[in-house]
Amino acid sequence: MPDYDITVKGIWAAAESFTITANAASLNGVSKYWTTFCHGEFNYQLPAGAQAFYMKNDKSLYLLGDGDKIPAGCAVIIMSDTGSITLTKIDSASVTSPTDNKLAGTAAQTAVSSLGLTGKKVYVLNKGTDDELGFFEYSGTTIPANKAYYVE
């Protein structure tokens, strides 16, 4: 061993693709598979049969661009024909986030208490008692990594 300090640098690279799981539910009469997603660093391409949406202040969903690409740092809702969705990392500078997205997201598991939301509530995508999909007040203590939520 050397008798002096050495520095070791690690470079983290996202996998070229990974698979997320969506849950079957109905939203406004549309029965599909639904989930949320957010990645802080990389853009992702959705497979055929899946579309990305964002939410404006009116709490309506809007197709994100052509619906097939998710910009880095953009929290989205994904609707899919299947419950297994493979996202593929893309290096596209032309993928842009909407400026009026009400959704926020986490890159890593995040304690709700660390979000600085005194007097506000966190809402996450979930199924209600009637199996209808919607955003419901979150009662957990941590938001999972790569998930979207909104605050009021």
Side-chain angles (χ1 to χ4, degrees):
M1 290 298 290
D3 59 352
Y4 52 88
D5 290 340
I6 60 170
T7 302
V8 177
K9 235 185 208 185
I11 298 174
W12 179 84
E16 290 303 311
S17 67
F18 65 94
T19 302
I20 59 175
T21 301
N23 296 305
S26 178
L27 178 63
N28 299 328
V30 177
S31 293
K32 294 277 187 172
Y33 291 86
W34 301 84
T35 190
T36 64
F37 179 77
C38 182
H39 194 284
E41 242 182 292
F42 300 105
N43 302 318
Y44 284 93
Q45 175 78 47
L46 287 166
Q51 293 180 307
F53 298 87
Y54 70 102
M55 188 170 71
K56 292 184 181 182
N57 281 332
D58 64 5
K59 297 183 185 158
S60 293
L61 300 183
Y62 295 85
L63 188 64
L64 179 65
D66 291 335
D68 63 344
K69 294 177 186 70
I70 302 171
C74 184
V76 296
I77 298 163
I78 298 174
M79 177 186 73
S80 179
D81 293 337
T82 65
S84 181
I85 305 165
T86 300
L87 302 169
T88 305
K89 186 175 88 166
I90 55 174
D91 298 319
S92 174
S94 65
V95 181
T96 58
S97 292
T99 57
D100 53 352
N101 191 2
K102 185 171 181 66
L103 298 174
T106 62
Q109 182 172 316
T110 304
V112 172
S113 61
S114 72
L115 296 174
L117 304 173
T118 304
K120 296 184 178 183
K121 296 177 181 177
V122 175
Y123 294 86
V124 296
L125 189 68
N126 207 345
K127 286 195 283 189
T129 55
D130 58 358
D131 273 351
E132 185 73 14
L133 191 68
F135 276 86
F136 296 93
E137 186 177 348
Y138 187 59
S139 60
T141 57
T142 58
I143 306 260
N146 302 114
K147 288 296 184 179
Y149 62 91
Y150 79 89
V151 175
E152 272 194 339

